[in-house]
Amino acid sequence: MLIATAAYGVDLQKQLFWLKGVGYSRRADFSESQSPIHLHLGTKVLMKKHCALFYCCIVVLAGFMSFAPISVHAQKRVSDKDVEALMKNLKEDSKSFRDNFDAALKKSAIRRTSQEKDAKDLVAGFEKQTDSMFSDFKKTKRGDVAVETTISSAQQIEKLIYNLHLDQKTISQWEKIRTELDHVSSAFGINAPYSRM
């Protein structure tokens, strides 16, 4: 009985020593993984990963920004076919406008004067300019000079129409023509300011 008890006591002591060993081992592992040195190294690695990700995002963003202006410019560019269509509409509308303008002058304050003749000549010249501009562009695909000349005449007509207080129909037709001419001039990168003074 004493021998059995002693044997049991020895086994119990061995188990206690083993449990203590495991406990110390786990405690040692935990303390080592949570030590200041390991925490510092882990923080440095994490910061490096974040920095690398941050720089990658900057590079990608810069790439998108560099391509954005090119895409916008490509969208704004007008094809030769579109410019030709704009010029054709401008030419046709200028012809119908001339007839209405001449009729409106007969009811204006300058009727039967030399100023009436000058006004008619100005609009007739504008109509010819739009026709010539359209024909030249169809042949050469160029029209900077012709556009600038047409704009110069349009600015004079603009002043004349509003100073004479012509009827609303004539004004509406002219505003349509002016809008079409604005589109044409924008296609060539030309600014077309108007003044009614």
Side-chain angles (χ1 to χ4, degrees):
M1 181 72 178
L2 289 172
I3 296 172
T5 304
Y8 177 75
V10 171
D11 291 338
L12 185 60
Q13 287 182 354
K14 286 182 179 180
Q15 291 180 6
L16 289 173
F17 279 126
W18 181 81
L19 288 173
K20 284 184 178 180
V22 172
Y24 287 135
S25 176
R26 289 182 178 176
R27 211 176 289 134
D29 292 341
F30 177 78
S31 60
E32 184 180 355
S33 63
Q34 300 297 323
S35 64
I37 296 175
H38 281 74
L39 288 174
H40 179 66
L41 291 174
T43 304
K44 288 183 69 176
V45 171
L46 187 61
M47 288 180 65
K48 285 182 178 180
K49 288 182 178 180
H50 284 178
C51 288
L53 181 61
F54 176 72
Y55 286 125
C56 286
C57 291
I58 290 178
V59 171
V60 172
L61 182 61
F64 278 120
M65 290 179 66
S66 63
F67 280 110
I70 297 175
S71 300
V72 173
H73 179 69
Q75 292 175 358
K76 288 185 176 181
R77 187 181 301 157
V78 181
S79 66
D80 290 344
K81 185 177 180 180
D82 292 334
V83 174
E84 188 174 318
L86 288 170
M87 288 183 174
K88 183 179 180 180
N89 291 336
L90 178 60
K91 177 180 76 74
E92 292 174 352
D93 290 340
S94 297
K95 183 177 180 180
S96 60
F97 169 75
R98 178 186 174 185
D99 296 334
N100 291 323
F101 180 79
D102 290 349
L105 285 180
K106 295 177 181 180
K107 302 176 183 178
S108 69
I110 62 172
R111 64 184 182 277
R112 298 178 182 178
T113 65
S114 60
Q115 290 179 323
E116 180 184 4
K117 183 179 181 303
D118 292 340
K120 287 182 177 180
D121 290 343
L122 177 62
V123 173
F126 177 78
E127 181 194 346
K128 291 179 181 178
Q129 287 169 353
T130 58
D131 186 24
S132 177
M133 179 175 62
F134 173 64
S135 300
D136 291 344
F137 185 80
K138 285 181 66 177
K139 296 176 183 177
T140 64
K141 304 303 178 186
R142 296 179 180 178
D144 301 68
V145 177
V147 170
E148 290 178 351
T149 302
T150 306
I151 289 174
S152 178
S153 298
Q155 290 170 338
Q156 297 179 57
I157 296 172
E158 175 88 359
K159 296 177 182 178
L160 185 62
I161 286 176
Y162 288 99
N163 287 340
L164 292 175
H165 304 288
L166 298 182
D167 60 273
Q168 189 59 44
K169 181 181 178 181
T170 304
I171 293 175
S172 298
Q173 282 186 322
W174 172 249
E175 288 179 346
K176 181 183 178 184
I177 289 173
R178 190 182 65 186
T179 300
E180 292 171 346
L181 183 56
D182 286 343
H183 291 324
V184 173
S185 61
S186 296
F188 289 91
I190 300 173
N191 187 25
Y194 293 94
S195 174
R196 298 176 183 179
M197 298 302 293

